[in-house]
C-alpha cells in the first residue's frame, strides 16, 4: 500500500513537471527577443487640433502600410460603399486624398452599412478599430463607430 502511494506521488510530480515545462515552452514561443524587428502593436490617436489635423493613419504615405495590431482610436473619416458588400474607410477630411482601408465584416460594419443605405451623401464618422494585414494590404476591423449628425438629424452611434 505504501509503494502504491509513492508511485502515485511520483506520477503527480512527473505530471506537474511536464505541465510546467509545456507552459514554459509556450511562453518562450510567444516572446519577442529584445532588439528584434517584431511586430509591436501601437495605437493611432487623432492629433491635437481637431479632426482636420493629420493622425498617424491619415498621415501614412500612399505606399506605407500600418502594422498588424495597430489600433485606431477616435479617428475621423468617411465610409464609402465600393460595390457589393464592400465598404472602405478613409481617414481625414472628405477633400483629403488619403489611403483607405477595406473594412472587415462584423456587426459594426452591418450598422454602418445600414446608415449608408438610408442616407445618400457623405457623412463624417469617428471610428475606433484594429488594423490587420493580408497579402500586403491593410484592413480595418471596427470596434466603435459614431456618425456625425448632419443638419436636421440626430446622431447615431454603434
Amino acid at each position: 500500500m505504501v509503494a502504491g502511494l509513492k508511485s502515485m506521488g511520483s506520477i503527480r510530480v512527473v505530471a506537474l513537471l511536464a505541465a510546467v515545462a509545456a507552459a514554459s515552452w509556450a511562453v518562450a514561443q510567444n516572446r519577442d527577443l529584445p532588439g528584434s524587428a517584431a511586430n509591436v502593436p501601437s495605437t493611432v490617436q487623432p492629433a491635437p487640433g481637431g479632426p482636420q489635423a493629420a493622425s498617424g493613419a491619415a498621415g501614412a504615405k500612399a505606399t506605407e502600410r500600418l502594422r498588424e495590431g495597430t489600433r485606431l482610436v477616435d479617428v475621423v473619416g468617411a465610409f464609402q460603399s465600393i460595390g457589393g458588400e464592400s465598404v472602405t474607410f478613409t481617414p481625414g477630411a472628405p477633400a483629403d486624398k488619403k489611403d483607405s482601408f477595406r473594412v472587415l465584416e462584423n456587426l459594426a460594419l452591418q450598422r454602418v452599412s445600414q446608415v449608408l443605405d438610408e442616407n445618400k451623401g457623405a457623412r463624417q464618422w469617428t471610428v475606433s478599430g484594429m488594423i490587420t494585414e493580408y497579402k500586403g494590404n491593410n484592413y480595418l476591423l471596427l470596434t466603435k463607430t459614431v456618425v456625425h449628425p448632419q443638419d436636421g438629424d440626430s446622431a447615431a452611434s454603434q
Side-chain angles (χ1 to χ4, degrees), residues 46-54:
Q52 302 297 353

Side-chain angles (χ1 to χ4, degrees), residues 18-84:
V20 169
S24 298
W25 179 80
V27 169
Q29 294 298 314
N30 291 326
R31 185 180 59 194
D32 294 326
L33 297 175
S36 71
N39 181 13
V40 179
S42 61
T43 300
V44 176
Q45 295 184 350
Q52 302 297 353
S55 70
K61 296 177 186 172
T63 59
E64 185 177 318
R65 286 189 317 271
L66 296 175
R67 298 302 306 252
E68 174 90 20
T70 299
R71 295 190 185 278
L72 300 184
V73 178
D74 296 334
V75 175
V76 175
F79 287 100
Q80 180 179 359
S81 181
I82 57 172

Side-chain angles (χ1 to χ4, degrees), residues 67-139:
R67 298 302 306 252
E68 174 90 20
T70 299
R71 295 190 185 278
L72 300 184
V73 178
D74 296 334
V75 175
V76 175
F79 287 100
Q80 180 179 359
S81 181
I82 57 172
E85 298 292 315
S86 297
V87 175
T88 62
F89 176 73
T90 305
D96 291 345
K97 299 296 182 199
K98 301 291 182 186
D99 287 340
S100 60
F101 304 107
R102 181 157 181 259
V103 182
L104 297 174
E105 297 163 343
N106 66 355
L107 187 56
L109 176 60
Q110 180 179 333
R111 293 174 177 160
V112 167
S113 295
Q114 289 171 347
V115 173
L116 292 176
D117 291 343
E118 293 168 3
N119 302 297
K120 302 299 180 190
R123 300 187 76 134
Q124 288 292 102
W125 296 75
T126 300
V127 170
S128 295
M130 182 178 295
I131 297 294
T132 64
E133 287 183 89
Y134 180 71
K135 292 188 177 180
N137 295 308
N138 279 140
Y139 297 87

